Amino acid sequence: MGLLSGLIGNASEVDSEEVERFIDSALIEGEQVEKAYKVIRDVMVFTNKRLILVDRQGVRGNKAEVLSIPYGKITKFSKESAGTFDLDAELKIWLGSEPNPMTKEFKAGDDIDQVYKILSQYTLG
């Protein structure tokens, strides 16, 4: 879980077309990017088929590890909305039998509700 635990930080939404160009070789026929969020240099991509985590490595970020998580491997997920004094929202995703969730923080203004709906649509559908 090194990659997942290393992706801690605030996320900001990224243009889906920009991300598709970056991960085009990883997408299969009929797969489309629904939403994408950037965490420092790394990217969290929600497609209509899976969750893709891109871990940019190296000083310039030229090297990248791409982790694919089928929605069927997500066992549960939760969201915590931003509060009055804590402006960040938090998303937690549990994978398989892992006891600890992958946790992501979203900046104020990012639509964590939309991400939650995407997860709901593809894990519950």
Side-chain angles (χ1 to χ4, degrees):
M1 299 290 282
L3 173 66
L4 298 179
S5 62
L7 287 173
I8 297 175
N10 286 347
S12 58
E13 191 168 351
V14 178
D15 180 51
S16 295
E17 288 181 17
E18 177 184 334
V19 172
E20 281 181 14
R21 285 191 300 272
F22 177 72
I23 64 166
D24 187 48
S25 62
L27 297 177
I28 62 171
E29 188 175 326
E31 186 172 20
Q32 298 174 341
V33 173
E34 299 286 335
K35 285 278 187 182
Y37 292 89
K38 187 172 184 179
V39 182
I40 304 172
R41 294 188 310 175
D42 302 331
V43 181
M44 193 167 66
V45 182
F46 295 90
T47 76
N48 59 328
K49 307 242 180 234
R50 60 189 159 158
L51 171 59
I52 299 173
L53 301 176
V54 181
D55 179 16
R56 304 288 303 266
Q57 302 170 358
V59 176
R60 294 189 176 138
N62 294 334
K63 184 177 178 182
E65 177 182 359
V66 179
L67 176 66
S68 177
I69 303 169
Y71 289 120
K73 296 296 181 185
I74 297 174
T75 55
K76 59 184 173 180
F77 51 95
S78 69
K79 68 174 179 154
E80 180 180 302
S81 58
T84 304
F85 297 106
D86 181 9
L87 299 178
D88 295 334
E90 189 175 80
L91 176 71
K92 292 182 182 179
I93 302 172
W94 285 262
L95 303 172
S97 61
E98 288 288 328
N100 299 317
M102 173 183 71
T103 302
K104 295 285 173 213
E105 289 186 13
F106 288 74
K107 293 179 182 176
D110 282 339
D111 194 355
I112 192 170
D113 292 332
Q114 184 63 35
V115 173
Y116 194 82
K117 285 179 184 179
I118 290 170
L119 282 171
S120 297
Q121 178 182 355
Y122 292 117
T123 58
L124 304 174

